[in-house]
Amino acid sequence: MPLNVLLLGPQGAGKGTQATRISSEYDIPHVASGEILRAEMAAGTDLGNRVRDVIGRGDLVSDDLMIELIRARLEQPDTDAGFVLDGFPRTLVQAEALDSILSGIGRSFSVVFSLQIPDEVAFERLRRRAQLEERADDTDEAIQRRLDLYHEETEPLIEYYRTRGRLVPIHGDRSENEVFAELQSALEQVPA
Ligand code: ATP
Ligand code: MG
């Protein structure tokens, strides 16, 4: 059985970090919407240039564009053994589209993790990241905008998956190793 994992949680919750570890431990690709967009921007493609301003402000890229990008990515054969998805869906429209993408390829989520941290912790982690990496959207205004949008648009998806899927809440304000150990023990419960 393929291992299809979804990570939900606010910016700075550790989705990218944990998704990378899940990806290497279970040998499945890490599909990160933000990374796909940053690669497009870095390569200077039309798409990359179109989304640059929106991303810089901390706003959301349009649902239609995101849905097509993720559909194309999940249809690649390297996801046959599963994938770990991070950064998508961020809206109810995206979540509904994802359901139909997955059923189109005969898939469903093995597990949906909701990584939870307080806003103050999220904000501080993102500011620290801003000093380490050069991300144009790690300004104070863009960080606040992303957290606000998370609460408005994305947090309701926790309830969406609670009623539909195998939702596992995870306390994210702990060390990277502690969080990963908890994810692993949940992943071991996934029926093979
Ligand atoms: P994290 O700290 O978890 O990486 P992030 O806010 O830095 O979270 P990314 O996932 O790296 O977010 O995405 C960066 C930007 O790309 C977002 O702020 C948004 O503009 C755009 N983006 C990424 N995924 C989506 C999506 N599913 N829908 C709309 N816009 C998206
Ligand atoms: Mg990320």
Side-chain angles (χ1 to χ4, degrees):
M1 278 265 280
L3 183 64
N4 305 321
V5 181
L6 176 62
L7 291 179
L8 290 175
Q11 291 71 18
K15 298 187 300 291
T17 304
Q18 298 298 335
T20 303
R21 293 187 63 166
I22 293 171
S23 166
S24 67
E25 182 77 19
Y26 297 90
D27 204 21
I28 50 178
H30 174 196
V31 177
S33 57
E35 297 299 331
I36 295 174
L37 294 169
R38 281 187 285 280
E40 296 279 341
M41 290 190 288
T45 64
D46 279 356
L47 191 151
N49 294 332
R50 263 191 288 143
V51 299
R52 197 179 308 274
D53 290 350
V54 175
I55 291 178
R57 285 196 301 271
D59 282 330
L60 291 175
V61 171
S62 78
D63 285 333
D64 288 353
L65 200 157
M66 287 313 304
I67 290 164
E68 287 321 309
L69 270 179
I70 295 296
R71 182 198 309 281
R73 180 65 190 89
L74 293 180
E75 284 173 358
Q76 298 296 307
D78 68 335
T79 67
D80 284 356
F83 55 82
V84 46
L85 183 58
D86 150 24
F88 184 97
R90 266 180 159 81
T91 65
L92 184 61
V93 170
Q94 292 179 15
E96 288 171 348
L98 181 58
D99 282 345
S100 86
I101 293 171
L102 291 181
S103 64
I105 55 176
R107 299 292 190 81
S108 62
F109 282 114
S110 316
V111 58
V112 177
F113 290 116
S114 160
L115 284 175
Q116 310 190 328
I117 53 165
D119 265 14
E120 315 83 75
V121 176
F123 200 84
E124 276 319 308
R125 286 186 180 182
L126 293 179
R127 291 184 76 170
R128 221 175 312 131
R129 182 172 79 186
Q131 292 162 2
L132 301 173
E133 292 174 29
E134 295 239 334
R135 269 184 55 173
D137 59 345
D138 277 344
T139 61
D140 282 2
E141 295 73 31
I143 290 173
Q144 192 57 56
R145 178 75 185 134
R146 288 181 1 254
L147 288 174
D148 290 346
L149 280 170
Y150 172 78
H151 291 301
E152 286 164 31
E153 304 276 355
T154 311
E155 203 168 32
L157 300 183
I158 296 172
E159 191 55 33
Y160 180 87
Y161 287 106
R162 197 200 310 283
T163 58
R164 280 173 184 76
R166 305 177 180 176
L167 185 84
V168 179
I170 302 282
H171 170 42
D173 188 11
R174 291 179 299 166
S175 77
E176 193 184 313
N177 285 337
E178 285 172 303
V179 173
F180 186 62
E182 197 176 325
L183 297 176
Q184 266 190 306
S185 65
L187 288 167
E188 276 152 27
Q189 312 292 314
V190 170

